[in-house]
Amino acid sequence: MNLHVFDLDKTILKIDCEKSFLYFLYKNKEIKKKEIKICEKFYNDYKNCCLNFKKYQKFYTKIIKKKKKKINFFLKFLKKKIFYKSYLIMKKKKKKIISSSSNKIICEKICKKILKEDFIKSNKNFRRNKLYNIMKYLYKYNSKKLIFYTDSNNDISMVNFSSKSIIINSDNLLIKKFYNKKLRFIFIKRILKI
């Protein structure tokens, strides 16, 4: 049986959960504008595939540990930010797991309390590490094929490795790279099958 692996941010969720959590904290006067500017720089680096993941995790983990109690309030906001189309696809699959580069603390809360699904518990789940972590689950679930759902060019190693990839609301870099390949693209406002 196939193992279906779903990215979290902008695939199951409409937003990036880490970035949105920081904005949530800022709006509630829990952090300063300085942290938002740092976050924006990291976020732009991520979109351009040049993120220093260790520095980013250090920055984000420091904030989230101090503001851990605020996550439950944030989850109420997040319930309205689910892509129901991809969420329903995920719910229909028997063998599935969520894999995200987002912080483990916030991912765990989202996956357990809102999505009620298992996820890969690792703060080293970025680019190739994501692939290595998923290999363990292929073995655990005794699956021969991997179907991967993502939005990001940062998941390129996963897209290349998987038996089939479904690109949901993709960033432009991923569309440019794979538009002529036999991939299935799903856009929430329109569906394009390739």
Side-chain angles (χ1 to χ4, degrees):
M1 192 176 279
N2 296 339
L3 174 63
H4 294 264
V5 179
F6 290 82
D7 186 32
L8 180 63
D9 297 319
K10 296 190 175 176
T11 302
I12 298 295
L13 298 176
K14 294 178 182 177
I15 56 171
D16 180 286
C17 63
E18 289 175 325
K19 182 181 175 184
S20 297
F21 182 59
L22 290 185
Y23 273 92
F24 175 82
L25 292 174
Y26 177 67
K27 190 177 175 184
N28 290 287
K29 298 178 175 39
E30 297 284 339
I31 61 171
K32 296 178 180 165
K33 194 161 189 163
K34 178 185 156 191
E35 278 105 345
I36 293 298
K37 284 183 178 177
I38 294 168
C39 171
E40 282 298 335
K41 195 223 176 288
F42 280 129
Y43 190 70
N44 287 330
D45 287 350
Y46 175 80
K47 282 189 344 190
N48 293 313
C49 297
C50 60
L51 175 67
N52 182 323
F53 194 66
K54 283 184 182 176
K55 280 185 181 178
Y56 172 68
Q57 279 290 10
K58 188 177 176 184
F59 160 78
Y60 195 84
T61 303
K62 188 177 170 185
I63 292 172
I64 207 166
K65 281 184 177 176
K66 287 181 192 173
K67 306 295 178 182
K68 208 172 177 179
K69 290 179 181 174
K70 299 291 176 185
I71 295 173
N72 289 331
F73 295 106
F74 176 64
L75 291 180
K76 290 175 187 173
F77 158 80
L78 259 191
K79 284 181 181 178
K80 298 172 190 166
K81 301 295 178 185
I82 294 173
F83 272 138
Y84 280 98
K85 192 171 200 169
S86 51
Y87 175 75
L88 291 173
I89 291 168
M90 178 187 69
K91 284 296 181 187
K92 288 178 187 173
K93 306 304 177 189
K94 286 185 181 173
K95 288 187 181 179
K96 63 200 168 224
I97 192 140
I98 295 170
S99 176
S100 179
S101 313
S102 293
N103 184 278
K104 185 170 103 174
I105 296 167
I106 198 162
C107 268
E108 186 166 33
K109 296 268 188 185
I110 293 167
C111 291
K112 284 187 175 179
K113 292 194 172 186
I114 297 178
L115 302 174
K116 296 178 176 38
E117 296 292 345
D118 196 12
F119 80 105
I120 293 176
K121 297 163 184 73
S122 171
N123 272 343
K124 294 177 182 171
N125 201 33
F126 186 60
R127 293 202 182 126
R128 288 202 174 150
N129 283 337
K130 197 175 215 181
L131 175 58
Y132 300 141
N133 289 331
I134 286 169
M135 296 291 283
K136 296 171 199 168
Y137 281 84
L138 273 172
Y139 180 74
K140 179 183 169 184
Y141 287 109
N142 195 21
S143 297
K144 291 185 172 98
K145 286 188 175 180
L146 174 76
I147 312 297
F148 184 58
Y149 303 75
T150 188
D151 69 296
S152 175
N153 193 51
N154 285 292
D155 288 330
I156 202 77
S157 56
M158 281 295 303
V159 171
N160 285 326
F161 174 79
S162 52
S163 311
K164 182 178 180 183
S165 291
I166 303 197
I167 312 301
I168 299 177
N169 295 321
S170 176
D171 59 30
N172 289 332
L173 288 170
L174 194 59
I175 290 174
K176 282 179 189 173
K177 209 169 261 187
F178 285 101
Y179 193 79
N180 293 324
K181 309 270 182 188
K182 290 189 175 177
L183 289 178
R184 186 171 166 214
F185 286 79
I186 297 178
F187 298 93
I188 295 306
K189 290 182 182 168
R190 60 195 166 90
I191 298 175
L192 176 63
K193 291 180 183 176
I194 296 182

